[in-house]
Amino acid sequence: MANILGGIATSHTPTIGFAVDTKKQDEPSWSPIFEGYAPMKAWLEKGKADVIFYIFNDHMTSFFIDHYSHFALGVGETYPVADEGGGPRDLPPLKGHPEMAAHIAQCLTTEEFDLSYFQDKALDHGCFSPLSAILPYEPDWPAKVIPLQIGVLQSPSPTAARCFKLGQALGRAIRSFPEDLNVVIASTGGLSHQVHGERCGFNNTEWDMKFMELLEKDPQALTKYTIADLVKLGGAEGAEIVMWLVMRGALNPQVRCLHKSYYLPSMTGIASLIFEPEESSTPALDTEWYNKRAYAQLEGLEDVEGTYPLTLKSGVRAYRINKFLHQLIRPEFREAFLNDFDNCADSYALTDEEKTMIRERDWQGMIRYGVIFFMLEKLGAVTGVSNLHIYAAMRGQTIEEFQQTRNAQVTYSVAGKEKLNKFA
Ligand code: FE
């Protein structure tokens, strides 16, 4: 079973990444940042975590208000560095852990936390700024990362109490993962700061100290604070420290604080903490019972014949071809697809097998491969094949044979106004 080595907490201000990139380690104004991180760096190196579960918030870079959610779990294989206006930082992409992420998703869903899932998204300074100061990254990062993006920027946002409960469930989810992996839980954000409005530049060191003290010794007390309390005490953007409660909830009720640092150079109190679980307070967990309950919703699904559910596993495995077909919702891509399929497919690095399935309209082959039916529907609409033809092909029937199984013999498609008459 997976083991939680401990938790770390750090601010994620872009200052940290800037200091790393411009090699400010020895400059007096900057060196306290690196001194604060040195014990964390050493602890991470000693612990040799296989996976870092990394809690952060994006800053309207890859997660925008066109679709904003509370808890977005990274389930993919890789996460590049985001471009926040001046090109991405020169860091290698992070590698994910899709298997553990899928298990965590299954467990948290069972514990009634409704997550959203993402892959193929670039991550911004909320993720990479502190990571680049606490882990070596050349030629590659030493651990896999499962990111959890929390939507703390738009109200209503998750409460402190909800974040703590999520952490408690997360702890059970990780500890029930049936592989002997060492996991570190990293939480980021804060401490006190405000970057907008007349109150811009607000800090409250006294509150920052109290927050860190309570986080270690009495995290339940922090769950009583409202978002408004946190904004008043720590500034509007400083209220993102609710994310630290996810990490704390995932650890044992009692922890040992191995390291604590704080430095306020400019806008944000830059802090770092290391907690290790106090073994004597490890909550009991019957992992066999827990996993049976977590997977109960899916029990027997594999016995349903001719059925290929979209899962996180198939969604990650067949992501490339699904993404390619999803582009068919864009008129300019449809044109490129119809005019020069091979060139279009090559630009998405489709394999020969994937290209052949699409070229030959191998509807059932694509379903078995992990293509989502609603991508086939779009492909049909673009290439002049009705839904009924696709249904028939998947059953190995002619359109006439399939239509005989319906009450009315009709055809239709999702093709819109461009092609309405073709399917009428
Ligand atoms: Fe932030």
Side-chain angles (χ1 to χ4, degrees), residues 184-417:
V184 165
I185 303 179
S187 56
T188 72
L191 289 179
S192 66
H193 66 295
Q194 179 153 338
V195 294
H196 80 267
E198 291 84 346
R199 204 177 178 226
C200 175
F202 175 85
N203 296 111
N204 184 351
T205 298
E206 201 184 318
W207 162 245
D208 289 339
M209 294 302 156
K210 184 177 173 186
F211 177 83
M212 287 195 284
E213 187 73 9
L214 286 173
L215 188 75
E216 178 193 339
K217 297 189 174 133
D218 188 9
Q220 287 283 1
L222 289 172
T223 65
K224 309 285 189 297
Y225 287 75
T226 65
I227 298 294
D229 293 334
L230 297 173
V231 169
K232 279 181 208 159
L233 286 162
E237 284 75 28
E240 66 189 6
I241 43 160
V242 290
M243 295 186 290
W244 289 26
L245 282 162
V246 180
M247 174 276 284
R248 186 61 186 87
L251 302 183
N252 293 358
Q254 266 87 54
V255 294
R256 293 184 299 277
C257 180
L258 266 57
H259 164 72
K260 187 192 285 190
S261 73
Y262 183 86
Y263 176 53
L264 177 52
S266 176
M267 291 294 287
T268 310
I270 301 177
S272 65
L273 283 175
I274 305 173
F275 292 154
E276 275 186 0
E278 199 65 75
E279 277 76 17
S280 58
S281 75
T282 304
L285 179 68
D286 179 343
T287 51
E288 197 180 321
W289 170 85
Y290 185 81
N291 283 339
K292 200 168 164 41
R293 188 185 67 144
Y295 289 89
Q297 291 288 330
L298 305 178
E299 225 175 280
L301 197 55
E302 67 280 4
D303 302 331
V304 184
E305 61 174 32
T307 304
Y308 306 83
L310 171 63
T311 61
L312 293 180
K313 194 174 174 187
S314 68
V316 170
R317 181 172 40 80
Y319 181 72
R320 188 180 44 235
I321 187 171
N322 277 305
K323 181 183 178 182
F324 175 81
L325 293 171
H326 185 245
Q327 302 305 309
L328 292 168
I329 63 174
R330 295 194 291 122
E332 62 278 15
F333 183 87
R334 291 202 281 277
E335 207 181 307
F337 175 92
L338 292 170
N339 288 341
D340 188 354
F341 170 72
D342 279 311
N343 189 26
C344 196
D346 287 341
S347 65
Y348 278 75
L350 293 198
T351 64
D352 287 343
E353 184 188 10
E354 290 166 342
K355 281 197 269 193
T356 303
M357 284 190 294
I358 296 172
R359 200 183 290 111
E360 295 178 357
R361 313 286 187 261
D362 180 3
W363 307 108
Q364 184 52 19
M366 284 191 271
I367 285 287
R368 287 208 183 99
Y369 190 78
V371 175
I372 303 160
F373 168 75
F374 303 101
M375 300 304 112
L376 302 190
E377 191 173 57
K378 291 169 182 46
L379 178 59
V382 170
T383 56
V385 179
S386 82
N387 277 31
L388 277 290
H389 283 84
I390 301 172
Y391 301 144
M394 289 189 295
R395 284 164 53 125
Q397 293 176 317
T398 63
I399 176 78
E400 291 76 19
E401 284 167 347
F402 181 63
Q403 281 188 318
Q404 288 310 311
T405 69
R406 305 296 93 192
N407 293 327
Q409 281 68 54
V410 297
T411 62
Y412 57 86
S413 158
V414 290
K417 61 186 177 186

Side-chain angles (χ1 to χ4, degrees), residues 98-131:
E99 299 79 19
M100 183 180 270
H103 175 75
I104 290 169
Q106 191 65 46
C107 296
L108 292 182
T109 302
T110 304
E111 298 224 28
E112 300 182 357
F113 285 92
D114 306 312
L115 309 173
S116 67
Y117 311 121
F118 71 89
Q119 54 180 317
D120 192 29
K121 279 201 182 292
L123 306 182
D124 76 359
H125 70 264
C127 177
F128 282 100
S129 183
L131 264 190

Side-chain angles (χ1 to χ4, degrees), residues 3 5-6 8 40-41 43-54 76-79 92-100 123 127-128 131-132 134-147 181-186:
N3 167 47
L5 291 172
I8 56 174
M40 193 178 276
K41 216 172 166 175
W43 183 79
L44 285 166
E45 204 174 308
K46 187 169 148 244
K48 299 211 184 315
D50 300 293
V51 179
I52 298 180
F53 189 91
Y54 192 93
E77 284 171 341
T78 179
Y79 306 97
L94 297 171
K95 290 196 180 68
H97 198 301
E99 299 79 19
M100 183 180 270
L123 306 182
C127 177
F128 282 100
L131 264 190
S132 62
I134 59 177
L135 287 177
Y137 51 81
E138 282 171 339
D140 207 351
W141 302 96
K144 295 191 169 174
V145 171
I146 299 176
L181 298 179
N182 285 321
V183 180
V184 165
I185 303 179

